Amino acid sequence: QIPLAASPPNDATLSAAEISLVVEEFFSASVSPQRKSFLEQAMITFKTRNDSAIKCKQLLENHSSSYVYWFALSVLEDLTIRHFSPSESSQCLSFLWSLLINTHTNLEQFNLNKHIHMLVRISKSSSMNTNMLLQQLPILHATNPTLFFHVLKTLCEEYVSNREDISTLRRSELMAIVRGLAPEAMRLAAKFLGNVYLGLRTEIAKSPVNGTVFGISMDSPVTKAAGMVFPEIGVSPGARREFGVGVVVFGGSVGDAEKKGANFALEMVQVLFGCLLSSKSTWGDGGDSDALMEVLDVVFKFALLNDRESVGLGICALNCLNELLARNYLSLQINGFMSMVFGYSCTLLRWLTGEMEITSGRTLDSLDTE
């Protein structure tokens, strides 16, 4: 325990190790109110010291607890936003990025979130810092997709935020950056989610219903002892397009990293849908439409996930679809877009009402019987 005088120290008498002890004691459940007040004042005084930034970097590199890491990040974030020069903020961004790459696997989730959020906030402050962060993303995607989507999701959220922490001009610049990143971000998300989905599904063979292979059918599937027979949902009587009908998702398993990455990727897609698409939007037209259709296809597939292992991802996918529909968006590729929406919606409704047999998970009809 660090002895504190009646008045908190106002000089450099406390080392980084001693500050670490102060923070740990402050968050201790057994500390008395009077002692807690002294400790708080010591922490506040520390923030105003000329060497606080150096001490914070030492604490982050050699933190003794999650509380110390959180405190050091908080102090450094305040210094960066309020007091650092452009060159100092760039140095801080470089330091925090290297620290993130080296320590992210050992961080608690709340500290990891705060660390990434702080990185992105610093990158908003200037074009130089923005470029520094963007240049690191392709490397991160190649080495750690989960962390990549975590950073990119946070970047999209922050860059389209309406908070009054930057000028209107700078906000417009950041929005333009997000619009430029969106097509490739959606393609990367679609590819990653597609690979995760492969680990969460199994195919069940399909047979025609009453000899009908083509055309649109809303009939319920026929369940036989040998298995299931599915109606086909097609684009027209003369051409058939698959919409995932007959794919049964059950008990599949993917690693925690893949599951977290898929969650971040879906949340990123939801942010992009919210800021880019509307009834008057032209973003998804032209060259952007392929990226939109790619990610929309896999989002609909994830919306079918409802077993215990993957229901959280299914909910994230439904949130994406809700965001899209709430914007009253229609693509110029209206035929393909509406066919996809209609086909997957029919599949999803049949799934939810129990008309498609599944091996795990609960549907609405099972809840009715209970």
Side-chain angles (χ1 to χ4, degrees), residues 1-16:
Q1 188 182 79
I2 300 298
L4 298 180
S7 298
N10 54 13
D11 54 16
T13 57
L14 293 182
S15 65

Side-chain angles (χ1 to χ4, degrees), residues 171-190:
R171 190 178 298 114
S172 298
E173 293 173 350
L174 295 175
M175 185 64 187
I177 290 174
V178 172
R179 291 178 67 90
L181 288 173
E184 183 63 16
M186 287 191 180
R187 290 189 184 95
L188 293 175

Side-chain angles (χ1 to χ4, degrees), residues 141 145 149 185-203 247 249 253-254 258-259 261-263 265-266 269 293-303 305 313 317 344:
H141 177 258
F149 283 113
M186 287 191 180
R187 290 189 184 95
L188 293 175
K191 183 176 181 180
F192 180 82
L193 290 169
N195 289 333
V196 172
Y197 181 74
L198 291 177
L200 294 170
R201 74 174 189 177
T202 185
E203 298 278 358
V247 174
V249 180
S253 180
V254 294
E258 288 79 6
K259 191 181 296 183
N263 190 82
L266 287 168
V269 170
M293 297 296 278
E294 282 182 41
V295 77
L296 189 57
D297 177 77
V298 75
V299 165
F300 267 112
K301 290 177 180 177
F302 267 77
L305 301 176
L313 296 176
Y344 272 123

